[in-house]
Every structure is written in structure tokens, then in C-alpha cells.
Amino acid sequence: MIYDVIIIGSGPAGLAAAIYAQRSELNNIVIEKTGFSGGQIINTYEVDNYPGTPGISGFDLSAKFREHCDRLNTTFITGEVIDFKLENDIKLVTLDDGSQYRSKAVVIATGGSPRHLNVPGEDKFSGLGISYCATCDGAFYKGRTVAVVGGGDVAVEDAIFLSRIAEKVYVIHRRDEFRALKSSANKLLSLDNVTVLWDSVVEGINGSETVESLDIKNVKTDEKSNIEVAGVFIAVGYIPSSQVYKDILATDEQGYIIAGESCETNVPGIFAAGDIRTKDLRQIITAASDGANAITGVERYLNNI
Ligand code: NAP
């Protein structure tokens, strides 16, 4: 059997693509790694910026997306894609159980995962004072002291967001200037309750039940210190889940699949949707929008082959 389109990934981009594919009567399947739909948002405490569902939890929103797909009778297959090949114009997807699926078009919506610091205490306190999403978990730290690790746009925006909730925010950055946009960096530096620890790295995360303090090292002076915090937000970039596709598709230096708003990649018939593609704003709404755009592109592609 050769499907019209295989959708890989069942986060907001993949599920939106599935809804559009079913409604367009494309012969499609969705391959999801865990057998649980929703992607990263499953762990999001509250989603307050997706229209029509104020204050919903990420878990409940994913359940709604999935319910919508089920109402349209979408076929889900559980498995991890371990190989991806082209047989002329046909795309061949191999899963970890050895099963293989062929299609005319593919939508890759595999997202990514937050990069970890890989320091002692990080695994132990994940979800117990360590968060990779300030907008999800920031509200837990009202009136407390927190730290943000990183110097990119996400770290700086997270720190600005947290400064409105927490009593004090440390920003720990390994260099002496931010990578983030100057305008947001300047805004951050103007805030009274924010202290930036420049040229500094976290060497350990300590506590008993939850996070209580961080071991810090200044990389220029080698001076070590310890700061007391109730929470730490790690914002040191994302690792896109694009490894399997890298031999075939063009990616940027960070591994994001190069694709614009049309979600078209450098290979006709292969589309990249959601966080996996190069884009400025990685949010649920832009991921869902990509799912729609990608399937529209798939239809255009199928009509022309
Ligand atoms: P990013 O731009 O890659 O920044 C990651 C930050 O973490 C950098 O400051 C980096 O330090 C630091 N870092 C990386 N690995 C580290 C490690 N092991 N230990 C300590 N620090 C580490 O990632 P991001 O902030 O998640 O942003 C991702 C993308 O989305 C970027 O392209 C960003 O511009 C974009 N974005 C844009 C907006 C916006 O336009 N408003 C908002 C959010 C995100 P160095 O600086 O030393 O490399």
C-alpha cells in the first residue's frame, strides 16, 4: 500500500495536519513515538494563549486535539522512525519494530526537546524545581527566588516574564553578552529584581526534596559560589528531532529542517511542520498553522505528480 501522506509526529503540528488530511480525504496515517498524542505540550501546566481555550492545561488541550482526530477516524500507528529513505518519488519510513510504510508525501512534525545542562542534580530535580518552560511553570514561584540559565531569546524573555512573578531572578549566562535581541536584553538589564551572573555556569543543582541551591562557577576567574533558589529554569536551546532525516533534508546549523511558512523542504513531497522547522516563533498556534499549511502543500504536490 502506498499512502498519499504519512504524518510523523503527533504534537499540535502533526495532529492539525492529520485533521486537514482526513478532511481532504487523503489516504494517510500518523506515526507517533509514544502512543500518546500531544508532544511537548502534554507537560505544559497551563496554556493561556491558544484562542478559545483560556487556561486549559497542555494535557487537556492535547486530548482535545486527539479527540478531534479520532472523530475523523484518523489512523495512528505507534513506533519510532529509525530510518527514512527515498525510492525515487516514493518515501519509505521504517519503524523500530521493523515495519515499513510507503507514501507519496510526508509531513515531518517531530518537534524537539529542550537541551539539558547535564550537571549533577538535573535528572533528580526535573519537575521538582527544575523546569524547561517558564511560561508553563513560572506561576509556582510567586514571591520566591529563581534562576534562569542561558543567554538566548528564550532565556531573556523567560527572565523578564519571571521577574513579574518571582521576588528575585538570577540569570546565569556562560558568556559576557547575551545572544538575545538587544531590545529584550536591555529591558532585562533595566529590571531591579534581576541579577545577571556573567561568565558563569551551573555546576550542580542541590536540594533535599526540591531544588534549594545552585553551585556556580565563574569561567573566567574559576571562582565558585552557591546561590539559594527555589527553582531553576533551563533555557539553553532545543535539540530538534531531525537526526533520521539529515541525510536527505537540508537543516540549519542547529539541526532544524529548513522550510518556510509553506513547510516545503528541499525535497519535493516532504514537508516540515511545527517546531522541527526553521521559524521565529515556536508556539502551539504556529505549529497548528503549519499542520494546515503542510497538508495544503501536500495536496498541491499530489495534484501535480
Ligand atoms: P539559543 O538562541 O540557541 O540560545 C541558547 C542559549 O543557551 C545561548 O545563550 C547559549 O550560550 C546558551 N547555552 C547553550 N548551551 C549551553 C550550555 N550547555 N550551558 C550553558 N549555556 C548554554 O536558543 P533559544 O533561546 O532557545 O532560542 C531558540 C531560537 O528561537 C533562536 O533562534 C531564537 O532567536 C528564537 N527565538 C526568537 C524569539 C523572538 O524573536 N522573540 C523568541 C524566542 C526564541 P551562548 O550564547 O554562549 O551560545
Side-chain angles (χ1 to χ4, degrees), residues 115-117 149-155 157 173-175 179 181 235-238 254 280 282:
R115 179 177 287 123
H116 287 204
L117 287 176
V149 187
D153 283 309
V154 171
E157 287 179 11
H173 182 35
R174 64 183 178 184
R175 291 190 295 128
R179 178 179 293 278
L181 286 173
V236 295
Y238 267 76
Q254 293 175 65
D280 280 340
R282 295 195 165 88

Side-chain angles (χ1 to χ4, degrees), residues 17-28 69 72-75:
I19 290 166
Y20 273 70
Q22 281 296 89
R23 288 177 50 80
S24 298
E25 299 187 2
L26 297 177
N27 184 12
N28 72 92
C69 292
L72 295 169
N73 295 319
T74 302
T75 302

Side-chain angles (χ1 to χ4, degrees), residues 93-108:
V93 176
T94 305
L95 303 191
D96 51 353
D97 63 1
S99 56
Q100 294 192 312
Y101 300 88
R102 288 177 170 81
S103 61
K104 297 174 192 163
V106 165
V107 175
I108 302 169

Side-chain angles (χ1 to χ4, degrees), residues 224-285:
K224 297 198 179 197
S225 58
N226 181 274
I227 56 169
E228 286 185 13
V229 295
V232 54
F233 292 84
I234 298 172
V236 295
Y238 267 76
I239 302 177
S241 306
S242 61
Q243 203 56 39
V244 174
Y245 313 97
K246 273 186 169 169
D247 290 344
I248 293 176
L249 300 180
T251 55
D252 70 5
E253 70 283 352
Q254 293 175 65
Y256 291 102
I257 297 172
I258 295 173
E261 201 185 343
S262 70
C263 299
E264 287 170 20
T265 67
N266 58 312
V267 177
I270 304 181
F271 297 78
D275 285 6
I276 191 68
R277 78 166 175 93
T278 46
K279 55 157 65 181
D280 280 340
L281 186 62
R282 295 195 165 88
Q283 301 261 300
I284 302 169
I285 192 165

Side-chain angles (χ1 to χ4, degrees), residues 86-211:
L86 297 179
E87 293 174 334
N88 298 316
D89 283 345
I90 298 300
K91 287 82 188 169
L92 172 64
V93 176
T94 305
L95 303 191
D96 51 353
D97 63 1
S99 56
Q100 294 192 312
Y101 300 88
R102 288 177 170 81
S103 61
K104 297 174 192 163
V106 165
V107 175
I108 302 169
T110 47
S113 50
R115 179 177 287 123
H116 287 204
L117 287 176
N118 296 319
V119 296
E122 189 173 14
D123 287 344
K124 180 176 172 190
F125 293 113
S126 186
L128 297 169
I130 297 179
S131 169
Y132 298 88
C133 176
T135 47
C136 318
D137 299 324
F140 295 124
Y141 297 92
K142 193 168 170 50
R144 308 188 75 186
T145 297
V146 296
V148 176
V149 187
D153 283 309
V154 171
V156 167
E157 287 179 11
D158 281 0
I160 293 169
F161 170 77
L162 289 164
S163 72
R164 300 185 195 119
I165 299 167
E167 184 182 52
K168 165 129 196 108
V169 179
Y170 289 102
V171 178
I172 302 158
H173 182 35
R174 64 183 178 184
R175 291 190 295 128
D176 61 1
E177 64 174 343
F178 286 127
R179 178 179 293 278
L181 286 173
K182 277 265 174 308
S183 52
S184 6
N186 288 342
K187 180 167 182 193
L188 178 74
L189 294 171
S190 74
L191 298 171
D192 288 340
N193 63 341
V194 174
T195 300
V196 182
L197 305 178
W198 300 107
D199 301 311
S200 297
V201 292
V202 174
E203 287 198 315
I205 303 171
N206 319 300
S208 46
E209 303 287 300
T210 59
V211 169

